[in-house]
Amino acid sequence: MLKEGLEKQEILKILDEKLKSDYSYKSGSILGSMCTEPLAIAVEVYMKYVAKNLGDPGLFLGTADLEKELVTEIGELFRGKKIIGTFTTGGSEANLIAMRIAKKLRPDIAYPEVVVPYSAHLSFDKAADLLGIKLRKAKLHDNFELDLDHFNSLINNNTCGVVGIAGTTSLGLIDPIEDIGKLIEGKNIFFHVDAAFGGFILPFLKELNYPVPAWDFSVNSVDSITADPHKMGLGIIPSGGFFLRDPSILQKTGFEIPYLAGGNFKHFHIVGTRSGGTVIAFWVILKSLGFNGFLEIVKNCMDNTRYLTQRINEIKGVKLATNPTINIVGITTENKENICKIDEELRKRNWMIGKFEDFNLIRVVIMPHVQKTHLQNFTDDLEKILKKLKIS
Ligand code: 0PR
């Protein structure tokens, strides 16, 4: 540590130099991330309220009320009534909260199990590890859709929870949430939907007349939903969201902290101190964009998704892993050539995409920062690479 502090200008100069190797959303090279540049007004407001701590809501009563208001509003967007919930550090924490609830609600099960699709995000493996839950992974069909029969075969007397995904990490697919609901009817099994990515795109896609199967609280058996502001919500990193239908579950399973200013309140959080600024910023995003503002952003992402889809269909040597449902495009090789070589070459040219080796695909996420010109340059480079590797 320095003995004497430096001048601001000098610090900022050093910092600029040190952060030079970071990629930026604006450059277009970040094509595989589910995060994006937050809305400008959210950044401004976040900076103003950066010291708000919702870990001690008794000190920040206004912020705590605002969080409740926001949860109710999002609950309605997800077609629920009087939904409760809370904002988290991201989808991983929200999924961990859901898995913990599933286990807590079934103290009668000595060796609890949760059934998830094979395509479930790694956060479920982490949660299972931390909570001592056995994760049972249901197979996918060749077209990457969930094998519902296999899912059903994994449900047994030890099952305390099941998970469906609305917007899978690899391909953006929506699991058959209604069908999963039917499998657990009358069985006292907690049903969580991971819409970490899909949550802030699916309500708008539906309005734009894209085919969107029921995935939210309109499905009676859905107990909780993860949906993250820091993905398609254009929120500040880190901000995730956990939404829950039955408020009595908070009383039954919440943690208590008896010594804080706000008195004894129950909460689900794994963390203690947590940002109020990110929550305030998301409240501002909803007020600033409104439903129609989101519609416009989503429409633009989907137009660009269509453009990329068309280009991939034209390029020899690669093909779509599946027809995109949302703004995620999976690209695989036509003749089962290993995708890793292509990914490596793309990275050399500064295209930062996602790679899913088990599915032999690369993933492009068409976030709001991705522009058509980026996709033009990307596909031009992809064509050159395929020629060089003699794949086309
Ligand atoms: N559920 C789903 C369906 C997800 O896709 C993710 C994250 C999570 C939960 C966990 O969310 P947090 O990362 O907020 O805890 N999926 C992204 C992914 O694996 C995470 C990510 C985001 C990775 C931005 C890279 C990146 O640049 O792609």
Side-chain angles (χ1 to χ4, degrees), residues 53-61 255-267 269 271-274:
N53 169 23
L54 274 172
D56 200 349
L59 302 184
F60 302 100
L61 296 166
F255 296 108
E256 284 180 65
I257 301 189
Y259 56 82
L260 294 178
N264 210 349
F265 67 95
K266 295 238 180 182
H267 68 284
H269 288 276
V271 298
T273 305
R274 66 185 179 99

Side-chain angles (χ1 to χ4, degrees), residues 163-196:
V163 172
I165 309 158
T168 57
T169 305
S170 47
L171 285 165
L173 297 178
I174 306 164
D175 287 330
I177 303 300
E178 280 186 305
D179 295 336
I180 295 175
K182 282 184 197 134
L183 300 181
I184 55 158
E185 245 163 42
K187 285 190 177 153
N188 193 15
I189 291 174
F190 191 79
F191 186 8
H192 177 64
V193 172
D194 181 3

Side-chain angles (χ1 to χ4, degrees), residues 18 34 281 296 318:
K18 282 193 180 291
M34 286 185 166
E296 208 170 298
V318 287

Side-chain angles (χ1 to χ4, degrees), residues 299-315:
K299 187 180 174 305
N300 182 46
C301 292
M302 290 312 288
D303 287 347
N304 285 333
T305 301
R306 194 169 326 109
Y307 170 75
L308 178 61
T309 306
Q310 281 162 358
R311 284 290 290 129
I312 296 303
N313 281 334
E314 285 164 9
I315 298 175

